[in-house]
Amino acid sequence: MNNLAAVRFLEQSAAVGPQLHRLLRDQIIHGDIVPGARISETEIATAYAVSRQPVRETFIKLAEEGLVEVRPQRGTFITLISVPAVLTARFIREAIEADIVRRAAEVADAAALKALDMCLAEQRGLDPAAPGEEFMRVDEEFHRLLAELAGHAPVADHLEDLKIHINRVRHISARQFSRQRLIGQHAEVVEAIRRRDPDRAVEAMRIHLQEIVIDLPGIVEAQPDFFTRSGAPG
C-alpha cells in the first residue's frame, strides 16, 4: 500500500471513525493514494493503531462517496476518476456558481468588495513555489466567500461533495494549472461585481469554470491509468 508515509496520528480525545474517514478521504482526493491502488483494512488498522471496525466503517462511507470500490474476493481499491462524472459535476457547479455571482453583483457593498480584494491579494501573494494544495486552499476560500456574499453560504458546503472528483483531478494535475491565469479570472469576476454588472460576472465565472473542460483531455492523456470513461467512478 502506498499511503503509509502519509499516516498522521489520530487524536485520542476525539472519535476515531470521523477522523479516520477525513484523513483517508483527504489522502484520496489529494492523490496521496492514487486511483486504482489497493487498500487493506488490516494495513490501515495497523498503521493507525486502531481496530478493524472503524476502518471497515470508513471504507463503507468512502464507497458511498464513490472513492473506493469493494471487489469480492479481490479487495478494496481506490476508484478511478470518471471523466463523465467530472464533466457532469462541473456542469452543475457552473450553473450554481453563475447564479451566485449574479446575486453577488446585485448586493455586494463596500465591505464585500474589500473582502474580495483581500482574498485576491492573498492569492497574488502566494510564493510561486508554494505547493498546489496551498493555491487550491485560497481558491476554495474565494468561491466560498462569493457564496457568503451572495447570502447563500450553505451552498458552498453542498458543493463540496459535488466537487470531490473535480478536486481529485485538480490535485493530480496541480502543476499543470496556470495560477496566474486562474487569479486573473478571479479578478475579472471581482471587477464585474465591483461594477455591479451581473451579466459580466456570470460570463466571467462561466469562463473560469470551463478551464477544466479545456485541460482535462491533456490530464487524462498524461495519466491514463487514473481515469475511466465510464459514467460512474470505478
Side-chain angles (χ1 to χ4, degrees):
M1 191 172 63
N2 63 352
N3 67 318
L4 294 181
V7 167
R8 293 168 52 188
F9 291 107
L10 301 179
E11 294 181 16
Q12 298 301 311
S13 59
V16 169
Q19 290 186 77
L20 192 60
H21 173 254
R22 183 177 66 254
L23 289 172
L24 291 179
R25 185 179 188 271
D26 285 349
Q27 287 185 57
I28 295 169
I29 292 173
H30 291 183
D32 298 323
I33 313 177
V34 300
R38 184 179 184 276
I39 55 175
S40 160
E41 280 186 16
T42 301
E43 289 183 33
I44 291 177
T46 300
Y48 286 97
V50 298
S51 70
R52 291 178 62 177
Q53 183 60 31
V55 179
R56 188 172 299 114
E57 292 172 354
T58 292
F59 280 14
I60 291 171
K61 290 181 180 179
L62 293 173
E64 290 172 350
E65 294 172 317
L67 292 173
V68 305
E69 177 186 9
V70 180
R71 301 176 188 170
Q73 310 304 317
R74 295 182 61 189
T76 300
F77 296 81
I78 306 303
T79 58
L80 301 181
I81 302 171
S82 164
V83 172
V86 170
L87 295 177
T88 297
R90 188 219 62 82
F91 181 82
I92 297 170
R93 181 187 180 189
E94 180 183 324
I96 294 170
E97 295 214 36
D99 279 351
I100 284 174
V101 294
R102 177 177 294 281
R103 181 60 178 162
E106 293 169 346
V107 303
D109 56 15
L113 290 168
K114 181 178 180 180
L116 288 169
D117 286 337
M118 290 176 63
C119 193
L120 282 176
E122 182 180 8
Q123 294 173 35
R124 290 167 172 151
L126 279 180
D127 184 339
E133 288 78 5
E134 184 63 14
F135 177 76
M136 287 184 63
R137 178 187 65 78
V138 296
D139 176 73
E140 291 292 332
E141 288 177 358
F142 176 76
H143 288 272
R144 181 171 290 273
L145 178 58
L146 287 171
E148 292 174 357
L149 296 180
H152 294 287
V155 169
D157 293 324
H158 289 295
L159 284 174
E160 282 306 306
D161 288 339
L162 178 72
K163 295 188 297 184
I164 283 178
H165 299 293
I166 294 176
N167 286 339
R168 292 179 74 190
V169 173
R170 296 177 69 202
H171 278 288
I172 287 172
S173 58
R175 293 182 180 180
Q176 297 182 36
F177 289 109
S178 169
R179 296 184 188 181
Q180 292 308 310
R181 184 172 75 246
L182 296 179
I183 293 171
Q185 291 169 354
H186 287 173
E188 287 289 331
V189 171
V190 174
E191 185 58 26
I193 293 172
R194 193 187 316 279
R195 293 175 178 269
R196 291 191 173 275
D197 188 338
D199 289 341
R200 182 178 172 186
V202 168
E203 180 182 8
M205 179 57 75
R206 289 190 185 279
I207 290 172
H208 175 56
L209 294 181
Q210 287 167 8
E211 283 287 323
I212 195 169
V213 177
I214 298 170
D215 294 336
L216 190 57
I219 297 168
V220 174
E221 184 178 0
Q223 300 279 7
D225 293 340
F226 289 176
F227 293 86
T228 175
R229 295 189 182 277
S230 66

